[in-house]
Amino acid sequence: MQLLAENMGLGDRAVPALVATVVGFAARFASDKLRTPRLVLAAPAVMFLLPGLMIFRAMYGIVINVDDMATGLVEMFNAMAIMLSIAGGVVFGETLCRPLTSNARRERRRIRRR
């Protein structure tokens, strides 16, 4: 999915958000079928999307290359934006899948009975 999103020409921040949306959707759907917590499925799946090397390079640029600290700060901002887009994508994917899960159907039936 990530390669497809990159080939579509999406930016560095949009690709993880799109992939995290798919992960959140799949985690909610699978957790309903397997009767497991969504976090157990979603957390390992998004681990590969985290910008660890980007944070390391940013910290290196801030601490070692003091003359060019602005580049490190911009890279740190980009890493934080990617982490926020991953978190938002997972939540958005779970929200998109909510009508398809059996828990949501049970909740709607319970509300209608009241």
Short mmCIF file of all heavy atoms in Angstrom, two decimals, residues 35-88:
data_model
loop_
_atom_site.label_atom_id
_atom_site.label_comp_id
_atom_site.label_asym_id
_atom_site.label_seq_id
_atom_site.Cartn_x
_atom_site.Cartn_y
_atom_site.Cartn_z
N ARG A 35 -12.10 -11.02 18.06
CA ARG A 35 -12.44 -10.66 19.45
C ARG A 35 -11.18 -10.34 20.26
O ARG A 35 -10.96 -10.86 21.35
CB ARG A 35 -13.24 -11.75 20.12
CG ARG A 35 -14.50 -12.10 19.38
CD ARG A 35 -15.65 -12.21 20.34
NE ARG A 35 -16.85 -12.72 19.67
CZ ARG A 35 -17.77 -11.92 19.15
NH1 ARG A 35 -17.63 -10.63 19.20
NH2 ARG A 35 -18.83 -12.42 18.57
N THR A 36 -10.35 -9.48 19.70
CA THR A 36 -9.14 -9.00 20.37
C THR A 36 -9.18 -7.48 20.42
O THR A 36 -9.91 -6.85 19.66
CB THR A 36 -7.87 -9.43 19.61
OG1 THR A 36 -7.91 -8.87 18.30
CG2 THR A 36 -7.75 -10.93 19.53
N PRO A 37 -8.40 -6.87 21.28
CA PRO A 37 -8.33 -5.40 21.29
C PRO A 37 -7.71 -4.87 20.00
O PRO A 37 -6.80 -5.48 19.44
CB PRO A 37 -7.44 -5.09 22.48
CG PRO A 37 -7.45 -6.31 23.32
CD PRO A 37 -7.68 -7.46 22.40
N ARG A 38 -8.20 -3.74 19.54
CA ARG A 38 -7.69 -3.16 18.29
C ARG A 38 -6.23 -2.76 18.41
O ARG A 38 -5.47 -2.84 17.45
CB ARG A 38 -8.53 -1.94 17.90
CG ARG A 38 -9.88 -2.30 17.41
CD ARG A 38 -10.63 -1.08 16.97
NE ARG A 38 -11.01 -0.21 18.07
CZ ARG A 38 -12.09 -0.37 18.82
NH1 ARG A 38 -12.89 -1.38 18.60
NH2 ARG A 38 -12.37 0.47 19.78
N LEU A 39 -5.84 -2.33 19.58
CA LEU A 39 -4.46 -1.89 19.79
C LEU A 39 -3.46 -3.01 19.58
O LEU A 39 -2.35 -2.78 19.10
CB LEU A 39 -4.31 -1.31 21.20
CG LEU A 39 -2.99 -0.69 21.56
CD1 LEU A 39 -2.71 0.49 20.64
CD2 LEU A 39 -2.99 -0.24 23.00
N VAL A 40 -3.85 -4.23 19.89
CA VAL A 40 -2.97 -5.39 19.71
C VAL A 40 -2.64 -5.59 18.23
O VAL A 40 -1.55 -6.03 17.87
CB VAL A 40 -3.61 -6.66 20.31
CG1 VAL A 40 -2.84 -7.90 19.97
CG2 VAL A 40 -3.75 -6.51 21.80
N LEU A 41 -3.55 -5.25 17.36
CA LEU A 41 -3.34 -5.42 15.93
C LEU A 41 -2.77 -4.17 15.27
O LEU A 41 -1.95 -4.26 14.35
CB LEU A 41 -4.65 -5.80 15.25
CG LEU A 41 -5.28 -7.10 15.74
CD1 LEU A 41 -6.65 -7.28 15.11
CD2 LEU A 41 -4.39 -8.28 15.42
N ALA A 42 -3.18 -3.00 15.71
CA ALA A 42 -2.78 -1.76 15.04
C ALA A 42 -1.36 -1.32 15.41
O ALA A 42 -0.62 -0.83 14.55
CB ALA A 42 -3.76 -0.65 15.37
N ALA A 43 -0.98 -1.47 16.66
CA ALA A 43 0.34 -0.98 17.11
C ALA A 43 1.51 -1.64 16.37
O ALA A 43 2.40 -0.94 15.89
CB ALA A 43 0.48 -1.15 18.61
N PRO A 44 1.55 -2.97 16.24
CA PRO A 44 2.67 -3.55 15.49
C PRO A 44 2.63 -3.20 14.00
O PRO A 44 3.67 -3.11 13.36
CB PRO A 44 2.50 -5.06 15.67
CG PRO A 44 1.59 -5.24 16.80
CD PRO A 44 0.75 -4.01 16.88
N ALA A 45 1.45 -2.97 13.47
CA ALA A 45 1.35 -2.66 12.04
C ALA A 45 1.89 -1.27 11.72
O ALA A 45 2.48 -1.08 10.65
CB ALA A 45 -0.10 -2.79 11.59
N VAL A 46 1.70 -0.31 12.61
CA VAL A 46 2.18 1.04 12.32
C VAL A 46 3.63 1.24 12.75
O VAL A 46 4.21 2.29 12.48
CB VAL A 46 1.30 2.13 12.96
CG1 VAL A 46 -0.09 2.09 12.41
CG2 VAL A 46 1.31 2.06 14.45
N MET A 47 4.22 0.25 13.39
CA MET A 47 5.59 0.37 13.85
C MET A 47 6.54 0.65 12.67
O MET A 47 7.52 1.37 12.82
CB MET A 47 6.02 -0.91 14.58
CG MET A 47 7.26 -0.79 15.38
SD MET A 47 7.09 0.35 16.75
CE MET A 47 6.00 -0.56 17.80
N PHE A 48 6.24 0.10 11.52
CA PHE A 48 7.10 0.27 10.36
C PHE A 48 6.95 1.64 9.71
O PHE A 48 7.74 2.01 8.85
CB PHE A 48 6.83 -0.83 9.34
CG PHE A 48 7.10 -2.20 9.89
CD1 PHE A 48 6.06 -3.01 10.29
CD2 PHE A 48 8.39 -2.65 10.04
CE1 PHE A 48 6.30 -4.27 10.81
CE2 PHE A 48 8.65 -3.90 10.57
CZ PHE A 48 7.60 -4.72 10.95
N LEU A 49 5.94 2.38 10.08
CA LEU A 49 5.70 3.70 9.51
C LEU A 49 6.37 4.82 10.31
O LEU A 49 6.47 5.94 9.83
CB LEU A 49 4.20 3.98 9.45
CG LEU A 49 3.36 3.02 8.61
CD1 LEU A 49 1.89 3.37 8.77
CD2 LEU A 49 3.77 3.08 7.17
N LEU A 50 6.81 4.51 11.52
CA LEU A 50 7.35 5.55 12.39
C LEU A 50 8.67 6.11 11.84
O LEU A 50 9.50 5.36 11.31
CB LEU A 50 7.57 5.00 13.80
CG LEU A 50 6.30 4.60 14.53
CD1 LEU A 50 6.64 3.96 15.86
CD2 LEU A 50 5.39 5.79 14.73
N PRO A 51 8.88 7.41 11.96
CA PRO A 51 10.06 8.06 11.37
C PRO A 51 11.27 8.08 12.32
O PRO A 51 11.77 9.13 12.69
CB PRO A 51 9.56 9.47 11.08
CG PRO A 51 8.56 9.72 12.16
CD PRO A 51 7.90 8.39 12.42
N GLY A 52 11.76 6.92 12.72
CA GLY A 52 12.86 6.85 13.67
C GLY A 52 14.15 7.43 13.14
O GLY A 52 14.84 8.20 13.83
N LEU A 53 14.51 7.09 11.91
CA LEU A 53 15.75 7.60 11.33
C LEU A 53 15.67 9.10 11.11
O LEU A 53 16.66 9.82 11.30
CB LEU A 53 16.05 6.88 10.01
CG LEU A 53 17.34 7.29 9.30
CD1 LEU A 53 18.54 7.01 10.20
CD2 LEU A 53 17.48 6.55 7.98
N MET A 54 14.50 9.59 10.77
CA MET A 54 14.33 11.03 10.58
C MET A 54 14.55 11.78 11.89
O MET A 54 15.18 12.84 11.91
CB MET A 54 12.93 11.32 10.02
CG MET A 54 12.69 12.77 9.71
SD MET A 54 11.03 13.07 9.06
CE MET A 54 11.22 12.47 7.41
N ILE A 55 14.05 11.22 12.98
CA ILE A 55 14.25 11.85 14.29
C ILE A 55 15.73 11.82 14.67
O ILE A 55 16.27 12.80 15.18
CB ILE A 55 13.39 11.15 15.36
CG1 ILE A 55 11.92 11.41 15.08
CG2 ILE A 55 13.76 11.63 16.76
CD1 ILE A 55 10.98 10.61 15.95
N PHE A 56 16.39 10.70 14.39
CA PHE A 56 17.82 10.60 14.70
C PHE A 56 18.62 11.64 13.91
O PHE A 56 19.48 12.33 14.46
CB PHE A 56 18.33 9.20 14.38
CG PHE A 56 19.81 9.05 14.58
CD1 PHE A 56 20.34 8.91 15.85
CD2 PHE A 56 20.67 9.07 13.50
CE1 PHE A 56 21.71 8.78 16.04
CE2 PHE A 56 22.03 8.94 13.67
CZ PHE A 56 22.55 8.81 14.95
N ARG A 57 18.33 11.76 12.62
CA ARG A 57 19.05 12.75 11.80
C ARG A 57 18.77 14.17 12.26
O ARG A 57 19.65 15.02 12.25
CB ARG A 57 18.66 12.60 10.32
CG ARG A 57 19.29 11.42 9.66
CD ARG A 57 19.09 11.46 8.16
NE ARG A 57 17.68 11.74 7.84
CZ ARG A 57 16.96 11.07 6.98
NH1 ARG A 57 17.49 10.09 6.30
NH2 ARG A 57 15.71 11.39 6.74
N ALA A 58 17.52 14.43 12.67
CA ALA A 58 17.17 15.76 13.16
C ALA A 58 17.92 16.08 14.45
O ALA A 58 18.45 17.19 14.61
CB ALA A 58 15.67 15.87 13.37
N MET A 59 17.95 15.13 15.36
CA MET A 59 18.66 15.35 16.62
C MET A 59 20.16 15.52 16.38
O MET A 59 20.81 16.35 17.02
CB MET A 59 18.40 14.19 17.59
CG MET A 59 16.99 14.13 18.11
SD MET A 59 16.49 15.61 18.99
CE MET A 59 17.49 15.50 20.44
N TYR A 60 20.70 14.75 15.47
CA TYR A 60 22.11 14.88 15.12
C TYR A 60 22.39 16.26 14.54
O TYR A 60 23.38 16.91 14.87
CB TYR A 60 22.50 13.79 14.12
CG TYR A 60 23.96 13.80 13.74
CD1 TYR A 60 24.90 13.19 14.55
CD2 TYR A 60 24.38 14.40 12.56
CE1 TYR A 60 26.23 13.19 14.21
CE2 TYR A 60 25.72 14.41 12.21
CZ TYR A 60 26.64 13.80 13.04
OH TYR A 60 27.96 13.80 12.70
N GLY A 61 21.49 16.71 13.67
CA GLY A 61 21.66 18.03 13.08
C GLY A 61 21.53 19.15 14.09
O GLY A 61 22.22 20.17 13.99
N ILE A 62 20.68 18.98 15.07
CA ILE A 62 20.50 20.03 16.09
C ILE A 62 21.69 20.07 17.05
O ILE A 62 22.18 21.14 17.40
CB ILE A 62 19.18 19.79 16.87
CG1 ILE A 62 17.99 20.03 15.95
CG2 ILE A 62 19.10 20.68 18.10
CD1 ILE A 62 16.67 19.58 16.54
N VAL A 63 22.21 18.90 17.44
CA VAL A 63 23.25 18.85 18.46
C VAL A 63 24.65 19.02 17.86
O VAL A 63 25.47 19.77 18.39
CB VAL A 63 23.17 17.51 19.25
CG1 VAL A 63 24.33 17.37 20.20
CG2 VAL A 63 21.85 17.46 19.99
N ILE A 64 24.94 18.36 16.76
CA ILE A 64 26.30 18.35 16.20
C ILE A 64 26.51 19.51 15.23
O ILE A 64 27.50 20.23 15.34
CB ILE A 64 26.59 17.00 15.52
CG1 ILE A 64 26.42 15.85 16.50
CG2 ILE A 64 27.97 17.00 14.91
CD1 ILE A 64 27.33 15.89 17.69
N ASN A 65 25.62 19.68 14.28
CA ASN A 65 25.76 20.75 13.28
C ASN A 65 25.05 22.01 13.77
O ASN A 65 23.99 22.38 13.29
CB ASN A 65 25.17 20.32 11.94
CG ASN A 65 25.93 19.16 11.34
OD1 ASN A 65 27.09 18.96 11.64
ND2 ASN A 65 25.27 18.42 10.48
N VAL A 66 25.65 22.68 14.72
CA VAL A 66 25.02 23.85 15.32
C VAL A 66 24.89 24.98 14.30
O VAL A 66 23.96 25.79 14.36
CB VAL A 66 25.82 24.30 16.56
CG1 VAL A 66 25.20 25.51 17.21
CG2 VAL A 66 25.94 23.16 17.55
N ASP A 67 25.80 25.04 13.32
CA ASP A 67 25.73 26.09 12.31
C ASP A 67 24.48 25.97 11.45
O ASP A 67 23.94 26.97 10.99
CB ASP A 67 26.97 26.03 11.41
CG ASP A 67 28.25 26.25 12.19
OD1 ASP A 67 28.19 26.92 13.24
OD2 ASP A 67 29.31 25.75 11.75
N ASP A 68 24.02 24.73 11.22
CA ASP A 68 22.85 24.50 10.39
C ASP A 68 21.73 23.87 11.22
O ASP A 68 21.18 22.83 10.87
CB ASP A 68 23.23 23.60 9.20
CG ASP A 68 22.17 23.59 8.12
OD1 ASP A 68 21.38 24.55 8.07
OD2 ASP A 68 22.13 22.62 7.35
N MET A 69 21.41 24.51 12.33
CA MET A 69 20.41 23.98 13.24
C MET A 69 19.00 24.06 12.65
O MET A 69 18.13 23.25 12.98
CB MET A 69 20.45 24.74 14.57
CG MET A 69 19.59 24.10 15.65
SD MET A 69 19.61 25.03 17.18
CE MET A 69 21.27 24.81 17.71
N ALA A 70 18.77 24.99 11.76
CA ALA A 70 17.43 25.17 11.18
C ALA A 70 17.00 23.93 10.40
O ALA A 70 15.82 23.54 10.46
CB ALA A 70 17.41 26.39 10.28
N THR A 71 17.92 23.29 9.71
CA THR A 71 17.59 22.08 8.96
C THR A 71 17.15 20.97 9.90
O THR A 71 16.18 20.26 9.63
CB THR A 71 18.80 21.61 8.13
OG1 THR A 71 19.21 22.68 7.28
CG2 THR A 71 18.45 20.40 7.29
N GLY A 72 17.84 20.82 11.02
CA GLY A 72 17.46 19.82 12.01
C GLY A 72 16.10 20.10 12.62
O GLY A 72 15.30 19.18 12.84
N LEU A 73 15.80 21.35 12.87
CA LEU A 73 14.51 21.71 13.44
C LEU A 73 13.37 21.46 12.45
O LEU A 73 12.30 20.99 12.84
CB LEU A 73 14.52 23.17 13.88
CG LEU A 73 15.39 23.48 15.10
CD1 LEU A 73 15.45 24.97 15.34
CD2 LEU A 73 14.87 22.75 16.32
N VAL A 74 13.61 21.76 11.19
CA VAL A 74 12.59 21.50 10.16
C VAL A 74 12.36 20.00 10.01
O VAL A 74 11.21 19.54 9.91
CB VAL A 74 13.01 22.13 8.81
CG1 VAL A 74 12.14 21.62 7.67
CG2 VAL A 74 12.96 23.63 8.89
N GLU A 75 13.44 19.23 10.06
CA GLU A 75 13.30 17.78 9.96
C GLU A 75 12.58 17.21 11.18
O GLU A 75 11.77 16.29 11.07
CB GLU A 75 14.66 17.13 9.79
CG GLU A 75 14.59 15.76 9.22
CD GLU A 75 15.91 15.29 8.67
OE1 GLU A 75 16.88 16.05 8.64
OE2 GLU A 75 15.97 14.11 8.27
N MET A 76 12.81 17.77 12.35
CA MET A 76 12.10 17.33 13.56
C MET A 76 10.61 17.67 13.45
O MET A 76 9.76 16.87 13.84
CB MET A 76 12.70 17.99 14.80
CG MET A 76 12.08 17.53 16.09
SD MET A 76 12.33 15.79 16.43
CE MET A 76 14.00 15.79 17.00
N PHE A 77 10.30 18.84 12.91
CA PHE A 77 8.90 19.21 12.70
C PHE A 77 8.23 18.24 11.72
O PHE A 77 7.09 17.83 11.94
CB PHE A 77 8.81 20.64 12.17
CG PHE A 77 7.41 21.04 11.81
CD1 PHE A 77 6.50 21.37 12.79
CD2 PHE A 77 7.02 21.07 10.48
CE1 PHE A 77 5.20 21.73 12.45
CE2 PHE A 77 5.72 21.43 10.14
CZ PHE A 77 4.82 21.76 11.13
N ASN A 78 8.93 17.88 10.65
CA ASN A 78 8.38 16.92 9.69
C ASN A 78 8.14 15.56 10.34
O ASN A 78 7.13 14.90 10.07
CB ASN A 78 9.31 16.77 8.48
CG ASN A 78 9.23 17.96 7.56
OD1 ASN A 78 8.21 18.64 7.49
ND2 ASN A 78 10.31 18.21 6.85
N ALA A 79 9.06 15.12 11.20
CA ALA A 79 8.88 13.84 11.89
C ALA A 79 7.67 13.88 12.81
O ALA A 79 6.89 12.92 12.87
CB ALA A 79 10.14 13.50 12.68
N MET A 80 7.49 14.99 13.51
CA MET A 80 6.32 15.12 14.39
C MET A 80 5.03 15.14 13.57
O MET A 80 4.02 14.56 13.98
CB MET A 80 6.43 16.39 15.23
CG MET A 80 7.59 16.36 16.19
SD MET A 80 7.49 15.00 17.33
CE MET A 80 6.94 15.83 18.76
N ALA A 81 5.06 15.80 12.42
CA ALA A 81 3.87 15.84 11.56
C ALA A 81 3.54 14.44 11.04
O ALA A 81 2.36 14.06 10.96
CB ALA A 81 4.10 16.80 10.40
N ILE A 82 4.55 13.65 10.72
CA ILE A 82 4.33 12.29 10.26
C ILE A 82 3.73 11.44 11.38
O ILE A 82 2.80 10.66 11.16
CB ILE A 82 5.63 11.68 9.72
CG1 ILE A 82 5.99 12.33 8.39
CG2 ILE A 82 5.51 10.17 9.55
CD1 ILE A 82 7.35 11.96 7.85
N MET A 83 4.24 11.59 12.60
CA MET A 83 3.70 10.82 13.72
C MET A 83 2.24 11.19 13.98
O MET A 83 1.41 10.32 14.25
CB MET A 83 4.53 11.05 14.98
CG MET A 83 5.87 10.34 14.93
SD MET A 83 6.78 10.40 16.47
CE MET A 83 7.38 12.06 16.47
N LEU A 84 1.91 12.46 13.89
CA LEU A 84 0.52 12.88 14.07
C LEU A 84 -0.38 12.37 12.95
O LEU A 84 -1.53 12.01 13.18
CB LEU A 84 0.43 14.40 14.18
CG LEU A 84 0.95 15.00 15.47
CD1 LEU A 84 0.94 16.52 15.40
CD2 LEU A 84 0.14 14.52 16.65
N SER A 85 0.15 12.34 11.73
CA SER A 85 -0.65 11.83 10.61
C SER A 85 -0.88 10.33 10.75
O SER A 85 -1.94 9.82 10.36
CB SER A 85 0.01 12.17 9.27
OG SER A 85 1.18 11.42 9.08
N ILE A 86 0.08 9.61 11.30
CA ILE A 86 -0.11 8.17 11.54
C ILE A 86 -1.20 7.95 12.58
O ILE A 86 -2.10 7.13 12.40
CB ILE A 86 1.22 7.51 11.97
CG1 ILE A 86 2.21 7.49 10.81
CG2 ILE A 86 0.99 6.10 12.49
CD1 ILE A 86 3.61 7.09 11.21
N ALA A 87 -1.13 8.68 13.67
CA ALA A 87 -2.14 8.54 14.73
C ALA A 87 -3.52 8.91 14.21
O ALA A 87 -4.51 8.20 14.45
CB ALA A 87 -1.77 9.40 15.92
N GLY A 88 -3.60 10.01 13.49
CA GLY A 88 -4.89 10.42 12.93
C GLY A 88 -5.41 9.44 11.91
O GLY A 88 -6.62 9.19 11.83
#
